[in-house]
């Protein structure tokens, strides 16, 4: 969806842009192709591995930080306003494919799931340290698991026999509670819930969206690709109302008080060709908003 993202950003050649999730650098390189010598790009990523993908270009600076700190780091660079912000949420292909990172249900690796290797708490600490009620709550909230109680209890019972240290250990601990024919779907929901908790993903997304409205110039664009309903709901509500509940507030005269307006009324979806090339793109949703 690179072309759709660039169209959404409506890149000005001499503008200032933010790639909030640098990852493999594909979006950053595409934005740079649209900028002239006066244009600037600031790319953020909390994963040290992503720094190796920094383009060799004087117009871009890659910042090793979570996008929740976007405003502070931009101010350190002397930037107080930008013309566009792009955030491609979710786990990068590199993180999924690297077994040692512990993000995938399909490869065995240490139960890690940290996007920022500098932080102390990993998935292993959460799986082995949270009590049953805490595990049930995060599985229900972040994984939307209908059998969260069973899964939480199975994890707690299993770890009595020893630490759940790897992704295979976790899969084996819960396998008898996975509905037949839906095993992979339920494992993905479990891993998603734990990953969100490890990385504080939803709180980080909220912080980034709130900062975006203050950073964008009038007419500036916010482009967000989300991959699950929890993210998309926050993005949709924020674009609609300027808050995460989706409740539009009005001024004394009854005019809605909203900082953004939706540009694409119909949410963007990947093409069949894109899904064939990358099955992970099948759940992607693209939303574009403009600063009023």
């Amino acid at each position: 969806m690179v072309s759709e993202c660039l169209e959404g950003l409506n890149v000005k050649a001499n503008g200032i842009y933010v790639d909030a999730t640098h990852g493999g650098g594909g979006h950053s390189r595409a934005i740079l192709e649209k900028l002239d010598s006066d244009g600037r790009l600031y790319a953020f990523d909390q994963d040290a591995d992503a720094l190796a993908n920094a383009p060799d270009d004087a117009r871009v600076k890659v910042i090793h930080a979570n996008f929740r700190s976007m405003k502070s780091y931009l101010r350190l660079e002397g930037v107080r306003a930008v013309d566009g912000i792009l955030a491609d949420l979710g786990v990068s292909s590199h993180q999924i494919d690297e077994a040692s990172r512990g993000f995938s249900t399909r490869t065995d690796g240490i139960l890690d799931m940290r996007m920022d290797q500098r932080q102390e708490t990993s998935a292993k600490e959460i799986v082995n340290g949270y009590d049953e009620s805490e595990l049930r709550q995060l599985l229900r909230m972040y994984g939307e698991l209908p059998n969260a109680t069973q899964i939480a209890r199975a994890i707690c019972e299993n770890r009595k026999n020893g630490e759940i240290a790897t992704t295979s250990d976790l899969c084996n601990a819960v396998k008898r509670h996975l509905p037949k024919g839906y095993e992979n779907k339920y494992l993905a929901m479990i891993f998603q819930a734990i990953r969100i908790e490890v990385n504080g993903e939803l709180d980080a997304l909220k912080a980034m969206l709130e900062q975006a409205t203050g950073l964008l110039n009038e007419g500036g664009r916010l482009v967000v690709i989300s991959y699950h309903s929890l993210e998309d709901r926050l993005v949709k509500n924020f674009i609609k109302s300027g808050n995460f509940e989706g409740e539009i507030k009005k001024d004394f005269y009854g005019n809605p008080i909203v900082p953004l307006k939706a540009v694409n009324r119909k949410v963007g979806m990947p093409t069949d060709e894109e899904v064939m090339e990358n099955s992970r793109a099948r759940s992607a949703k693209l939303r574009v908003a403009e600063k009023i």
Side-chain angles (χ1 to χ4, degrees):
M1 302 177 78
V2 175
S3 60
E4 291 87 346
C5 287
L6 290 179
E7 182 181 349
L9 277 176
N10 193 27
V11 179
K12 297 189 297 185
N14 64 345
I16 300 175
Y17 292 88
V18 173
D19 180 355
T21 48
H22 181 60
H27 286 123
S28 286
R29 287 188 289 272
I31 293 170
L32 287 169
E33 289 177 2
K34 297 283 187 179
L35 298 180
D36 62 22
S37 59
D38 293 323
R40 292 292 181 269
L41 173 66
Y42 296 90
F44 289 80
D45 207 294
Q46 60 187 325
D47 190 340
D49 290 350
L51 303 183
N53 302 316
D56 184 14
D57 193 311
R59 297 170 298 168
V60 61
K61 178 161 186 177
V62 179
I63 299 170
H64 186 196
N66 186 296
F67 57 43
R68 71 166 72 223
S69 304
M70 180 171 60
K71 183 177 180 180
S72 297
Y73 278 93
L74 288 175
R75 284 194 171 183
L76 288 175
E77 298 295 327
V79 177
R80 292 186 175 273
V82 300
D83 298 295
I85 298 169
L86 167 63
D88 185 353
L89 307 176
V91 187
S92 72
S93 294
H94 167 74
Q95 290 168 332
I96 292 173
D97 295 337
E98 185 63 46
S100 64
R101 301 297 297 272
F103 285 100
S104 177
T105 62
R106 293 179 171 83
T107 56
D108 190 26
I110 297 171
L111 201 55
D112 192 330
M113 300 193 198
R114 291 174 298 168
M115 292 182 176
D116 187 342
Q117 296 287 296
R118 296 171 296 183
Q119 75 177 49
E120 293 183 3
T121 303
S122 71
K124 186 167 70 172
E125 280 72 51
I126 287 172
V127 168
N128 290 283
Y130 278 25
D131 64 29
E132 185 177 327
S133 64
E134 291 172 319
L135 287 172
R136 181 175 62 249
Q137 183 177 14
L138 78 88
L139 290 169
R140 187 173 290 155
M141 287 178 57
Y142 299 150
E144 299 181 295
L145 278 156
N147 63 342
T149 298
Q150 288 180 310
I151 298 296
R153 186 170 299 135
I155 291 171
C156 292
E157 287 297 319
N158 191 272
R159 70 192 188 192
K160 291 177 181 178
N161 301 319
E163 185 179 58
I164 299 175
T166 68
T167 53
S168 292
D169 289 343
L170 179 56
C171 292
N172 289 331
V174 302
K175 64 182 179 181
R176 64 190 181 93
H177 297 288
L178 305 175
K180 190 174 182 179
Y182 296 92
E183 292 90 347
N184 290 334
K185 178 181 179 180
Y186 271 64
L187 283 174
M189 293 161 73
I190 293 167
F191 273 57
Q192 172 185 295
I194 297 169
R195 191 199 76 226
I196 290 174
E197 178 74 2
V198 169
N199 298 288
E201 293 177 29
L202 299 186
D203 286 339
L205 175 58
K206 289 179 180 180
M208 186 275 289
L209 292 172
E210 289 175 334
Q211 291 172 42
T213 57
L215 285 167
L216 286 170
N217 285 316
E218 183 178 342
R221 296 286 183 87
L222 172 67
V223 178
V224 183
I225 303 176
S226 61
Y227 292 87
H228 57 76
S229 60
L230 298 176
E231 293 173 336
D232 185 59
R233 192 177 303 125
L234 291 176
V235 177
K236 179 183 177 180
N237 284 346
F238 193 78
I239 290 174
K240 172 187 173 183
S241 63
N243 59 63
F244 303 111
E245 293 73 38
E247 299 175 1
I248 298 177
K249 299 178 181 179
K250 297 182 179 181
D251 62 19
F252 179 78
Y253 299 100
N255 300 310
I257 305 172
V258 291
L260 302 168
K261 66 176 181 180
V263 172
N264 60 334
R265 297 294 178 180
K266 186 177 180 181
V267 64
M269 305 289 284
T271 63
D272 292 339
E273 291 76 12
E274 286 175 314
V275 174
M276 287 181 64
E277 291 178 9
N278 179 15
S279 61
R280 295 166 186 159
R282 65 184 179 276
S283 59
K285 292 185 178 181
L286 172 69
R287 295 189 185 275
V288 182
E290 183 174 293
K291 174 72 175 289
I292 298 173

